[in-house]
């Protein structure tokens, strides 16, 4: 935002918005259009002046504002997706922002300075320059852009918040992106969702809830299988350490507290290992014994429990 104002103040071009000349130009265009369609006799000069006033001060400003919004949406979608798909960029820059597993308002701009400069400051400044808006339009655009991205990260879908009702790209939409199962979805920000729909990276709340339900059923089935195995095997087969979950190779999203593995597994392996093995060493409960038993059995064959449709549901998503 500060860079945007610097761009405005440092603009030494000869472009000057002459309202009187521009209004006269609009009046000529409107009169020409009315005469072309044969409706000039139905409009007085005062009516033409009123139409020109509305067109110049309101409609043109709205069009320029929409152009700036569209450019910023395009700029941020492709840069945001690039920061997720390039391992170096995610690990060293964007992973800082994804430490926010539960988003909050001020976390909207919690990011690496390089990422913030490139994605937010440069993007908004280019949108202002390309749209050709004046200083008043720039003031409104920079302020609204900042307000919108803060609102998208607030974590609340309040019924009296107009931004949550007017925009599909809202707090609930962006919250999905900050979850481990949705981290490769919903890249669009801060206004529209058109690029997610066009390029197949859109995830609705209904689809997210289905994945959450399947994950919970899968975890419950694993625990049930572990408890049954504990009764059948007994503590004599327990190994010294281990975890009920198998190790997975790290992918792009391997940094930060919310690493966001590319797959739709329950939680990161590092957290599973820390919690699972640490608890098993101290409290050899039935589930803990079962976890160790499953590790012992894994040398002979897989004992994973799958929920019907879980893998199929995940593989159908376009990545």
């Amino acid at each position: 935002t500060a860079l945007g104002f610097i761009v405005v103040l440092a603009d030494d071009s000869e472009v000057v918005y002459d309202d009187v000349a521009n209004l006269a130009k609009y009046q000529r265009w409107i009169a020409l259009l009315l005469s072309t369609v044969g409706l000039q006799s139905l409009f007085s000069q005062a009516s033409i002046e009123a139409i020109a006033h509305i067109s110049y001060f309101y409609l043109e400003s709205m069009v320029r504002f929409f152009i700036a919004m569209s450019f910023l949406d395009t700029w941020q979608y492709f840069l945001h997706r690039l920061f997720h798909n390039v391992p170096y960029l995610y690990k060293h820059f964007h992973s800082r922002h994804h430490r926010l597993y539960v988003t909050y308002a001020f976390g909207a701009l919690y990011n690496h300075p390089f990422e913030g400069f490139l994605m937010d400051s440069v993007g908004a400044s280019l949108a202002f320059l390309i749209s050709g808006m004046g200083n008043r339009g720039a003031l409104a655009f920079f302020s609204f852009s900042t307000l919108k991205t803060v609102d998208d990260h607030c974590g609340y879908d309040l019924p009296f918040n107009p931004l949550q009702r007017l925009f599909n790209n809202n707090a609930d939409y962006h919250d999905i992106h900050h979850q481990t199962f949705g981290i490769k979805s919903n890249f669009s920000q801060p206004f529209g969702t058109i690029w997610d729909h066009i390029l197949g990276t859109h995830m609705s709340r209904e689809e997210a809830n289905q994945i959450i339900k399947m994950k919970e059923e899968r975890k419950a089935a694993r625990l049930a299988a572990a408890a049954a195995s504990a009764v059948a095997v007994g503590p004599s087969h327990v190994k010294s350490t281990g975890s009920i979950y198998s190790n997975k190779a790290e992918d792009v999203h391997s940094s930060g507290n919310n690493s966001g593995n590319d797959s739709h597994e329950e939680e990161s392996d590092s957290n599973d290992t820390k919690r699972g093995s640490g608890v098993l060493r101290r409290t050899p409960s039935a589930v803990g014994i079962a976890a160790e038993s499953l590790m012992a059995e894994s040398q002979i064959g897989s004992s994973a429990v799958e929920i019907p449709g879980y893998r199929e549901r995940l593989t159908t998503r376009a990545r």
Side-chain angles (χ1 to χ4, degrees):
T1 303
L3 178 62
F5 285 114
I6 293 174
V7 171
V8 172
L9 296 175
D11 184 9
D12 57 354
S13 64
E14 300 299 327
V15 177
V16 177
Y17 288 92
D18 189 340
D19 293 338
V20 176
N22 289 329
L23 284 173
K25 181 173 60 176
Y26 266 92
Q27 292 176 25
R28 291 195 300 270
W29 288 349
I30 294 171
L32 178 61
L33 177 62
L34 292 175
S35 63
T36 302
V37 298
L39 299 177
Q40 189 173 12
S41 60
L42 300 179
F43 293 85
S44 63
Q45 182 61 29
S47 300
I48 294 176
E49 292 177 358
I51 296 173
H53 181 87
I54 295 173
S55 300
Y56 173 66
F57 284 106
Y58 298 100
L59 296 182
E60 181 179 326
S61 298
M62 292 173 60
V63 170
R64 293 184 185 278
F65 202 93
F66 179 77
I67 292 174
M69 290 173 58
S70 301
F71 177 85
L72 186 59
D73 268 357
T74 303
W75 176 272
Q76 293 210 354
Y77 175 86
F78 288 100
L79 268 183
H80 189 190
R81 191 169 181 179
L82 182 69
F83 271 87
H84 273 276
N85 291 332
V86 177
Y88 180 85
L89 294 178
Y90 185 86
K91 180 178 180 180
H92 294 280
F93 301 108
H94 194 54
S95 62
R96 175 179 296 189
H97 180 68
H98 275 274
R99 293 172 183 172
L100 305 178
Y101 186 79
V102 178
T103 58
Y104 63 97
F106 289 109
L109 301 176
Y110 175 72
N111 50 29
H112 192 280
F114 172 75
E115 178 192 353
F117 172 79
L118 184 62
M119 191 175 296
D120 298 323
S121 302
V122 174
S125 299
L126 289 176
F128 154 70
L129 295 174
I130 291 175
S131 66
M133 61 176 60
N135 290 354
R136 287 174 294 185
L139 174 64
F141 178 69
F142 295 143
S143 301
F144 183 67
S145 298
T146 305
L147 172 66
K148 183 64 173 60
T149 190
V150 169
D151 185 73
D152 290 344
H153 288 79
C154 73
Y156 293 96
D157 184 7
L158 301 176
F160 51 82
N161 185 346
L163 296 179
Q164 301 295 324
R165 307 280 80 84
L166 296 176
F167 292 89
N168 291 328
N169 196 335
N170 49 30
D172 182 63
Y173 186 84
H174 197 66
D175 179 73
I176 294 175
H177 175 71
H178 275 264
Q179 308 309 309
T180 54
F181 60 82
I183 201 167
K184 297 300 286 290
S185 304
N186 297 4
F187 295 111
S188 293
Q189 56 184 43
F191 302 112
T193 62
I194 184 64
W195 287 114
D196 276 320
H197 284 281
I198 292 176
L199 299 178
T201 55
H202 176 269
M203 179 184 287
S204 64
R205 171 51 63 183
E206 291 74 18
E207 189 174 6
N209 288 339
Q210 291 177 2
I211 293 175
I212 293 173
K213 182 179 179 180
M214 287 183 175
K215 285 163 60 70
E216 292 174 348
E217 292 175 349
R218 188 165 181 254
K219 182 175 289 186
R222 277 182 164 179
L223 293 176
S229 178
V231 176
V233 177
S236 60
H237 293 79
V238 177
K239 299 266 182 176
S240 59
T241 59
S243 172
I244 187 172
Y245 301 114
S246 59
N247 291 326
K248 302 188 298 293
E250 291 187 356
D251 67 346
V252 173
H253 303 88
S254 57
S255 301
N257 297 337
N258 176 24
S259 59
N261 281 331
D262 209 359
S263 62
H264 294 260
E265 297 297 333
E266 277 74 29
E267 294 182 1
S268 64
D269 296 315
S270 59
N271 292 337
D272 286 331
T273 303
K274 291 176 183 178
R275 291 196 297 268
S277 59
V279 172
L280 291 177
R281 289 193 186 99
R282 294 193 299 271
T283 58
S285 61
V287 175
I289 294 173
E292 304 299 344
S293 301
L294 288 176
M295 289 298 295
E297 293 174 6
S298 65
Q299 299 178 359
I300 302 175
S302 175
S303 59
V305 176
E306 294 291 340
I307 296 299
Y310 179 78
R311 292 292 176 185
E312 291 77 2
R313 181 68 181 174
L314 301 183
T315 55
T316 55
R317 289 206 48 76
R319 294 298 182 214

